[in-house]
Amino acid sequence: MTDTTDLPTALDLPPVDPLPPETQRYFDICVEKLGFVPNVLRAYAFDIDKLNAFTAMYNDLMLAPSGLSKLEREMIAVAVSAENRCFYCLVAHGAAVRQLSGDPALGEAIAMNYRVAPIDARQRAMLDFAVQMTRASATIGEAEREALRAHGLSDRDIFDLAGVAGFFNMTNRVASAIAMQPNPEYHGQAR
């Protein structure tokens, strides 16, 4: 059995060794930009095809051009993760909200109860939608989409919102099921 003291999850799934050159470059970029490799990436590194699929979807949803700002997408991640009580994503994406907003309390406010967070009406409508989608996606109908349109979201924006919320519902469940641990560095970021 492998020494699991440095593994990012409760599973004995050590990373491919050596990592393929393109994966190693990606991890090196993480270290250069963040100072560490996020444990979510390390968790997937036992299967490079799974890691590549995860990062492709994440990068498309969270970093590609969208009518939703990067901060709004991170806010969605935190609101969904709060509803799912996903420790890893609350810590990691709470840090991103702090960094992108410049507000050290905003990530915690959204994590505890987004309804009391100092956000605008558009963002509140987005988080209402994301949380409803998390709790009971089958209850979403045209009225909920119209509420978003009334706050200026285009149909493309609604698709992006649903995509981000759906992605984090999936990743929250995986992270919780395998006891994925957040990198300690996240706790002190942007404070």
Side-chain angles (χ1 to χ4, degrees), residues 105-142:
L106 184 59
E108 279 90 3
I110 294 170
M112 297 305 284
N113 181 359
Y114 75 92
R115 292 163 195 86
V116 300
I119 57 178
D120 64 33
R122 177 182 187 271
Q123 293 165 337
R124 169 68 190 264
M126 291 168 42
L127 298 185
D128 285 343
F129 185 90
V131 167
Q132 181 179 355
M133 192 178 145
T134 300
R135 288 181 179 168
S137 61
T139 66
I140 293 176
E142 192 55 29

Side-chain angles (χ1 to χ4, degrees), residues 8-92:
T9 72
L11 304 180
D12 184 10
L13 296 171
V16 170
D17 187 21
L19 290 171
E22 56 279 355
T23 304
Q24 186 61 60
R25 276 192 295 282
Y26 187 66
F27 281 20
D28 291 345
I29 290 168
C30 290
V31 170
E32 180 183 311
K33 291 185 174 188
L34 302 172
F36 59 94
V37 177
N39 279 347
V40 68
L41 301 179
R42 293 179 61 230
Y44 277 90
F46 76 94
D47 183 323
I48 300 305
D49 289 336
K50 287 185 186 326
L51 174 64
N52 291 341
F54 174 85
T55 58
M57 181 64 83
Y58 176 88
N59 289 338
D60 179 67
L61 291 168
M62 299 301 284
L63 303 174
S66 172
L68 308 181
S69 71
K70 288 179 182 162
L71 173 59
E72 288 169 334
R73 290 178 267 183
E74 291 291 349
M75 291 166 65
I76 293 162
V78 173
V80 168
S81 299
E83 194 64 28
N84 290 325
R85 298 184 316 197
C86 178
F87 181 52
Y88 181 91
C89 290
L90 282 169
V91 172

Side-chain angles (χ1 to χ4, degrees), residues 36 87-88 90-96 98 104 108 181-191:
F36 59 94
F87 181 52
Y88 181 91
L90 282 169
V91 172
H93 296 282
R98 289 192 304 271
E108 279 90 3
Q181 295 301 303
N183 301 70
E185 294 89 345
Y186 283 126
H187 295 288
Q189 286 183 330
R191 294 209 184 261

